[in-house]
């Protein structure tokens, strides 16, 4: 009897399971559901962004790391501290976070010897809504030598974010004058009425023809350097980044975004200008200039009927395609 009772019980459980499965299967909608993806813009950044003020010049917009990378290879920018100065200011755009502490460590690159290790518990408000901290250096630094500087921000959630630059105490240069020259050159390019100001710095060659607006150099005509008939409008611009700092020249980059109309409507372009130049009290010398320009791709420029994708201005010459 017990065996027969166990068999009946197993059959009842199996029957209930089959009925429940049939009811569930009949109610589901047999379609493929595609997950929706959200595009995250730069304004949605969750990590603070820092820059440095030296000799009254703001330079080197720097993005942070949530982990400590191979520090010896970190050479994203050069931050010079001129003779007679003993400090720099670090500006912080909090990007919606709550930065409660900032620290700075400076080490020798080859030996790893810590030269300065400074902690700031109190940060001040800057005039444009950012906050800042000022670091005073006390160690004896060699001139014209690069040191690794790490800025650490601690947020209200206890998260540490790390930022890197190369600190340098040169016996030459003038960061304020160098930034002014670069920014004036940049703004003159975008202003039709001021483009004659940059003509004297160009080395236009009649035999040289740039490929297109994706890459323009100092060898192009002033009309090409000035965007031709595009008439762009700058919508976002960042402070220059010093990538080389020598007694002979400064190498710097400037990132920015512009909008311009094409046959397809208003388009947004990501641009970066590369400069190599030297400033003196009497005149300025531009050794090389290059602008790279890429259209920000928009799905609206798919032409499905013609089986085409409009890429616009791009530096890509060989594109890989994948049909799916």
């Amino acid at each position: 009897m017990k065996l027969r009772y166990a068999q009946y019980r197993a059959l009842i459980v199996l029957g209930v399971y089959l009925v429940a499965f049939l009811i569930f299967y009949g109610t589901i909608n047999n379609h493929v559901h595609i997950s929706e993806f959200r595009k995250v813009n730069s304004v949605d950044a969750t990590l603070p962004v820092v820059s440095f003020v030296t000799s009254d010049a703001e330079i080197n917009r720097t993005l942070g790391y949530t982990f400590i990378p191979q520090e010896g290879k970190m050479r994203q920018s050069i931050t010079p501290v001129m003779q007679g100065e003993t400090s720099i200011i670090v500006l912080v755009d909090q990007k919606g976070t709550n930065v409660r502490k900032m620290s700075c460590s400076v080490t020798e690159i080859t030996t790893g010897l810590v030269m300065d290790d400074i902690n700031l518990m109190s940060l001040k408000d800057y005039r444009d809504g950012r906050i800042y901290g000022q670091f005073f250096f006390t160690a004896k630094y060699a001139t014209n030598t690069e040191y690794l500087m790490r800025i650490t921000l601690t947020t209200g959630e206890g998260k540490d974010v790390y930022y890197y630059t190369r600190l340098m105490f040169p016996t030459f240069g003038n960061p304020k004058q160098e930034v002014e020259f670069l920014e004036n050159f940049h703004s003159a390019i975008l202003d039709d009425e001021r483009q004659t100001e940059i003509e004297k710095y160009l080395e236009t060659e009649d035999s040289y023809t740039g490929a297109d607006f994706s890459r323009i150099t100092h060898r192009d005509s002033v009309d090409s350097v000035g965007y031709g008939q595009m008439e762009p409008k700058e919508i976002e611009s960042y402070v220059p980044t010093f990538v080389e700092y020598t007694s002979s020249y400064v190498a710097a980059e400037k990132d920015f975004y512009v909008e311009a109309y094409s046959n397809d409507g208003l388009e947004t372009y990501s641009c970066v200008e590369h400069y190599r130049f030297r400033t003196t009290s009497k005149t300025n010398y531009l050794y090389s200039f290059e602008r790279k320009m890429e259209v920000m791709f928009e799905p609206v420029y798919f032409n499905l009927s013609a089986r085409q994708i409009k890429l616009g201005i791009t530096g890509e010459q060989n594109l890989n395609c994948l049909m799916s």
Side-chain angles (χ1 to χ4, degrees), residues 205-212 215-217 219-221 224:
E205 299 178 13
D206 295 336
S207 60
Y208 176 79
T209 55
D212 50 46
R215 181 178 179 270
I216 295 293
T217 75
R219 298 168 62 193
D220 285 287
S221 66
S224 296

Side-chain angles (χ1 to χ4, degrees), residues 213-236:
F213 281 117
S214 67
R215 181 178 179 270
I216 295 293
T217 75
H218 60 285
R219 298 168 62 193
D220 285 287
S221 66
V222 65
D223 184 61
S224 296
V225 175
Y227 299 92
Q229 303 300 315
M230 291 185 66
E231 299 182 355
K233 177 184 177 182
E234 189 173 70
I235 57 175
E236 190 168 11

